[in-house]
Amino acid sequence: MSGRMTRGTAAVVLTAVLGAGAGGCSDDGDGGVSGAASKAASVGAEVTAAASSVASQGASALASATAEVRRRLDSVKGGVDARDDVKLGKPATDGDGRTTVPVTARNTADGTKSFAVQVDFRDGDGNLLDTVLVIVRDVAAGASGEATARSTHRLSGNVQVRVATALRY
């Protein structure tokens, strides 16, 4: 079993195109400049409001993903902290434009165990961009298991990854 889990989220795309025609007739004596400026300012305000709405939806989606990861981690019974036994590889971008990272969990317990690993995706300033939960199932005692964490949406820039929580159970 691959151990890879993905969680689909709605993608919000905003494309704003501003165009102003310089030509035209006007009765206000300024060749239509003030009317065009007024319309451009109005459109600019609408674009700013739409961008703010998109940012709010993005923050809402992140909050929702974070809450879902927390809920699933809280449901793990008998889990012990295993952050020191989990390593992340180098982030890459898959064919869908999402960030992926290999997850390796080393089982130091005496019996077969599974791991619940929360992987955070952050920008260069440390701001949280996305978070996912990966399950590495049925890792034999003394062995390592692998899975792949995949962001829920496309991330841009210098994406850094870290293990936020890892539970062995």
Side-chain angles (χ1 to χ4, degrees):
M1 178 173 275
S2 73
R4 184 174 99 176
M5 292 179 47
T6 60
R7 183 173 184 273
T9 60
V12 178
V13 178
L14 171 67
T15 303
V17 178
L18 296 177
C25 297
S26 170
D27 289 2
D28 56 12
D30 64 1
V33 173
S34 65
S38 176
K39 287 179 184 174
S42 174
V43 170
E46 291 172 12
V47 168
T48 300
S52 176
S53 174
V54 167
S56 174
Q57 291 174 9
S60 176
L62 180 58
S64 178
T66 302
E68 176 64 14
V69 167
R70 176 58 38 208
R71 183 189 68 75
R72 296 195 60 199
L73 283 169
D74 288 346
S75 73
V76 173
K77 303 297 180 210
V80 298
D81 184 3
R83 277 181 290 197
D84 292 341
D85 296 327
V86 175
K87 303 294 182 227
L88 300 178
K90 183 178 177 183
T93 302
D94 69 10
D96 293 332
R98 300 207 185 163
T99 302
T100 62
V101 62
V103 178
T104 302
R106 184 174 46 94
N107 183 5
T108 58
D110 292 336
T112 298
K113 299 290 182 180
S114 293
F115 294 78
V117 182
Q118 177 184 354
V119 177
D120 285 352
F121 297 87
R122 296 183 176 271
D123 66 15
D125 294 327
N127 298 308
L128 185 63
L129 301 172
D130 199 3
T131 188
V132 297
L133 184 69
V134 176
I135 306 297
V136 183
R137 296 191 190 281
D138 303 324
V139 180
S144 293
E146 296 182 348
T148 299
R150 182 177 186 251
S151 65
T152 61
H153 57 278
R154 291 179 181 195
L155 305 176
S156 62
N158 181 21
V159 177
Q160 300 172 8
V161 293
R162 76 174 181 97
V163 175
T165 304
L167 298 176
R168 182 181 68 224
Y169 62 98

